[in-house]
Amino acid sequence: MANTIVLGAQWGDEGKGKIIDALAATADVVVRFQGGANAGHTVYVDAERFVFHLLPSGVLRPKVLNLVGNGLVVDVIEVAEEIRELAERGVELTPQRLMLSTGAHVVTPAHRIIDGLLGGKIGTTGRGIGPTYTDKARRRGVRLGSLLDGTFRERVLAVTDAIRAEVEKVHGAEFPAHDGKLEELWAAAEAIRPFVGDVQAALYRKASDDAEILFEGGQGTLLDIDHGTYPFVTSSNTTIGGAYSGSGVFLDFHHRIAVMKAYTTRVGNGPFPTEQDNEIGEHLRARGDEYGATTGRPRRCGWLDLPLLRKAIIINGFNEIALTKLDCLDGIDPIRVAVGRDELDQPVYEELEGWTESVGPATHFDALPAAARAYIGFLERRLGVPVRIVSTGPGRDSQFERALP
Ligand code: IMP
């Protein structure tokens, strides 16, 4: 069976959730392998909006086994809440449909507190992601497996004490009491305990049974801790290598799909060469509803940047593109695309003709306006990767696939 990996090619928020949701229709297994509740995947089913922070996007498909790999940092309160909310909306998750790796690390309330105190410089999501990965690397983290061997509470309390001492002694800041949050954590831990298991073994079994497996990346290539715009990055490997370390199973990915917005956005601080801090950027923000799914922050918007996308292709070996939010370019004329850099490292642009009509109603490639087809053809030629999926709106129905040669 064909294995697929879907990764963000830019700074996250490319619309991966929707693409993954569509691909999950035929998948047997959906796997998350890195990040945590900093991700925010939005999927619309009819008029209903679902936002997932931690759960894999396959949870809306009844036949899919959803796996949360060892590479994640899991906010136990958040995941228990997502499971409960889904149940309230009629989606019942059982341990047969969701497994959380014993090796995944726990984001404790203290991790969130310290992220709130110290994460401002680079504009983190404040979800405790960086501090939890830091404690993983310092070998004092708490793994989900401790829920099965009875050491969870003592480990959480030990790391909480260590963080409190650090905040007070090193940073001279006050560490707030949060007993209520800890009580919430103990209750949430009980609720998720049945879901904790050996994800590596489960995935390997499925792979050996020839199941169709879909890996779902969080964030985007340019936020990768190694390959992104360091230090304005997240704390995990968001690129293809993270899929292996974060799940513990080697798979040959036949489809390596770059989810690429038809323009560029970024939340948080850091370089953004093609940013349009002007009416074009404002237009894209309004048109694309460019506000963070996790934090609600307005996203910075700008033109597509081919040099950065080429880098993403080198890192991930992308062989297909899912182009999203093409409809947000409706009415912009001309459209600019950065094709290189000048001697001062500033973007060099090419201008392409825009289109006045809406791409929304198109259900196949030939139904797109000629200028939209030309835009896609231009990207394919310049990037050397075919555009297999085109998304023209937020709903499940507003996207189509092209047959690739
Ligand atoms: P952290 O992941 O919360 O540590 O934040 C580090 C950087 O990654 C910040 O610039 C965040 O805005 C950015 N970031 C984290 N998750 C996402 C995401 O899902 N989409 C877009 N940006 C993200």
Side-chain angles (χ1 to χ4, degrees), residues 11-13 38-40 122-126 129-130 219 223 233-234 267-268 297:
W11 279 290
D13 308 315
N38 49 351
I122 74 157
T124 70
T125 57
I129 307 300
Q219 292 81 45
L223 287 170
V233 292
T234 191
V267 272
R297 287 181 286 177

Side-chain angles (χ1 to χ4, degrees), residues 72-130:
L72 277 93
V73 291
V74 174
D75 186 322
V76 170
I77 296 176
E78 170 81 32
V79 82
E81 178 68 16
E82 286 188 22
I83 293 170
R84 198 181 54 76
E85 259 181 45
L86 273 178
E88 274 173 19
R89 296 170 75 173
V91 182
E92 204 66 57
L93 284 173
T94 60
Q96 283 68 46
R97 293 236 296 118
L98 172 69
M99 189 189 283
L100 315 171
S101 169
T102 50
H105 277 249
V106 175
V107 181
T108 70
H111 288 114
R112 288 183 75 125
I113 292 170
I114 194 171
D115 199 17
L117 292 171
L118 306 177
K121 192 163 52 108
I122 74 157
T124 70
T125 57
R127 297 291 178 114
I129 307 300

Side-chain angles (χ1 to χ4, degrees), residues 10-14 16 32 34-41 53 115 119 122-131 133 217-220 222-224 229 231-236 238 265-270 292-295 297 299-300:
Q10 295 149 318
W11 279 290
D13 308 315
E14 297 92 350
K16 294 180 290 295
R32 271 200 68 183
Q34 51 66 235
N38 49 351
H41 289 172
H53 294 293
D115 199 17
I122 74 157
T124 70
T125 57
R127 297 291 178 114
I129 307 300
Y133 278 115
Q219 292 81 45
L222 302 172
L223 287 170
D224 184 281
T229 45
F232 300 97
V233 292
T234 191
S235 320
S236 59
T238 58
T265 61
R266 148 160 233 177
V267 272
N269 304 330
T294 300
T295 60
R297 287 181 286 177
R299 297 180 185 139
R300 301 156 63 193

